[in-house]
Amino acid sequence: MAPTTLHLRAETKNLEHRSALSPEVAQALIQEGYKIVVERSAARIYQDEEFEAAGATLVAEGTWPNAPKDHIIVGLKELPDSDEPLHHAHIQFGHCYKQQDGWARYLSRFARGGGILYDIEFLTGEDGRRVAAFGYYAGYAGAAVALMAWAHQVSDPNTPLGSLPFYPTAPELAQAVQRSMASAINHNAGQQPRVIVIGALGRCGTGAVDFCLGVGVPESSILKWDMAETARGGPFPEITSSDIFINCVYLGPDPIRPFVTYQSLAEPGRKLRVVCDISCDPSDVHNPIPIYTEYSTFQKPTLPVEVKGDGPPLTVVSIDHLPSLVAREASDTFSKLLLSSFKKLNRRGEEGVWTRAQRVYEENVKKLPNESVSK
């Protein structure tokens, strides 16, 4: 029997440096009998030579559409915009099972081509928990950007935060944030920012709290909220009385009362300067932060929020691939979490994590409008 082949495609999203496979995990899969094909990529955090040394076969960038149909295409972010049918099995974040903008057009490509989407967000164990997520480093990077945005606004309130540079490692990112905070604290009468993290007990919230503590924000200046604190329902005055609000709550199918509203932000005495919505999904009707309608980017990390009242300027961070800011550490951790599931791909027709993901795919294909499948 021919070995199961995984084809790691090059990411096309701007400034996406992460990888679903690390060289270490690629080598482990090769030792298990898998064949690993890796597209060359100048943007990926790992050098092509690292994969070559691990035993992978290197191919040109963007060659996955012409790969044999039994190859499994592995990536992270969505594929480039197109209406072309998809014939392979794909492992990636599809962002189309919650009927986000453009979901039907994207999902129908798999249905029309006879392919399948194994959405990483819906790879779950028997306990229903996700087998792998970038949550910790999403929180870690989100806290970093939020603190940089706060520091910039305090030090230079008349200009928006500029494009974020690339940081090869997490310690280098932390050092950059510490430098910007030191200057801002001098402009802020020696005061550290007060930070509220909602969803603080989860992986994402833990990463946000760890980063804040690691760069010197005192524990006494961090409000760590989770389900118990939000049970009464928002809006919450504790948010507007903080300098920074970091939202780490995963958006599920059930509605959540807004944590903030334009009305709550207009109340007298607002101190809030920065909202970092790590769970950002501005098109979701259940979004508990209904004060913005678009994503920000690494080139333009903050979006202004027009609010009334006597408070300072307010900005939102809504970058949808924050872990790319700490791409190596995030990719190392993520691919190790996926390794045990990857090892079962040669039995994906009978192994629970993959059969569950296939059922989710099939259930969502049934929701497609007839016209999108018949194109």
Side-chain angles (χ1 to χ4, degrees), residues 161-164 294-304 316 319:
L161 178 66
S163 178
L164 299 176
E294 60 184 299
Y295 295 104
S296 61
T297 65
F298 287 125
Q299 296 100 325
K300 186 182 177 183
T302 60
L303 302 172
V316 167
I319 300 171

Side-chain angles (χ1 to χ4, degrees), residues 263-328:
Q263 184 177 352
S264 71
L265 292 170
E267 293 291 325
R270 173 179 58 84
K271 295 181 179 179
L272 187 66
R273 291 178 178 269
V274 177
V275 174
C276 180
D277 189 7
I278 296 171
S279 304
C280 61
D281 199 343
S283 65
D284 195 305
V285 294
H286 299 150
N287 180 13
I289 308 175
I291 59 171
Y292 71 100
T293 58
E294 60 184 299
Y295 295 104
S296 61
T297 65
F298 287 125
Q299 296 100 325
K300 186 182 177 183
T302 60
L303 302 172
V305 181
E306 297 297 329
V307 290
K308 298 177 181 179
D310 59 357
L314 179 64
T315 57
V316 167
V317 176
S318 55
I319 300 171
D320 69 347
H321 58 135
L322 279 165
S324 195
L325 201 61
V326 281
R328 181 171 287 271

Side-chain angles (χ1 to χ4, degrees), residues 30-269:
I30 291 168
Q31 291 170 351
E32 291 283 327
Y34 287 83
K35 182 179 179 181
I36 305 297
V37 175
V38 176
E39 292 186 6
R40 296 180 182 276
S41 172
R44 190 185 293 125
I45 189 63
Y46 305 114
Q47 298 297 310
D48 296 337
E49 292 75 16
E50 294 180 73
F51 283 104
E52 192 170 40
T57 300
L58 296 182
V59 297
E61 180 174 345
T63 53
W64 65 264
N66 299 318
K69 290 184 180 180
D70 62 345
H71 287 197
I72 301 169
I73 312 302
V74 181
L76 282 179
K77 302 303 287 185
E78 307 95 315
L79 297 168
D81 186 48
S82 171
D83 286 318
E84 285 295 314
L86 296 168
H87 310 291
H88 296 91
H90 285 256
I91 300 172
Q92 62 171 84
F93 288 103
H95 300 299
C96 59
Y97 287 172
K98 299 176 188 176
Q99 300 194 6
Q100 295 98 323
D101 288 345
W103 76 276
R105 182 182 176 213
Y106 192 76
L107 189 58
S108 68
R109 296 178 63 192
F110 297 91
R112 288 184 286 111
I116 183 172
L117 170 62
Y118 293 114
D119 195 311
I120 295 172
E121 186 176 351
F122 296 87
L123 296 181
T124 59
E126 292 182 0
D127 58 359
R129 290 176 59 84
R130 293 172 62 181
V131 300
F134 281 104
Y136 180 87
Y137 281 106
Y140 189 95
V145 180
L147 287 167
M148 281 192 279
W150 172 83
H152 181 83
Q153 192 187 120
V154 169
S155 301
D156 190 3
N158 297 319
T159 61
L161 178 66
S163 178
L164 299 176
F166 173 67
Y167 299 96
T169 66
E172 289 171 89
L173 169 64
Q175 290 165 9
V177 173
Q178 285 176 316
R179 289 192 295 270
S180 66
M181 285 182 63
S183 174
I185 289 169
N186 287 334
H187 285 83
N188 199 44
Q191 296 296 308
Q192 290 270 1
R194 180 177 172 85
V195 182
I196 181 169
V197 179
I198 296 186
L201 298 183
R203 286 177 288 199
C204 180
T206 299
V209 171
D210 284 354
F211 187 87
C212 290
L213 292 172
V215 295
V217 179
E219 191 152 7
S220 59
S221 295
I222 305 173
L223 284 179
K224 296 176 238 181
W225 277 27
D226 212 89
M227 293 177 67
E229 291 80 6
T230 58
R232 71 178 190 264
F236 301 110
E238 292 87 348
I239 292 177
T240 53
S241 64
S242 299
D243 298 291
I244 299 171
F245 165 37
I246 302 174
N247 178 44
C248 301
V249 175
Y250 177 76
L251 286 183
D254 300 322
I256 303 174
R257 283 178 58 181
F259 295 159
V260 293
T261 62
Y262 285 109
Q263 184 177 352
S264 71
L265 292 170
E267 293 291 325

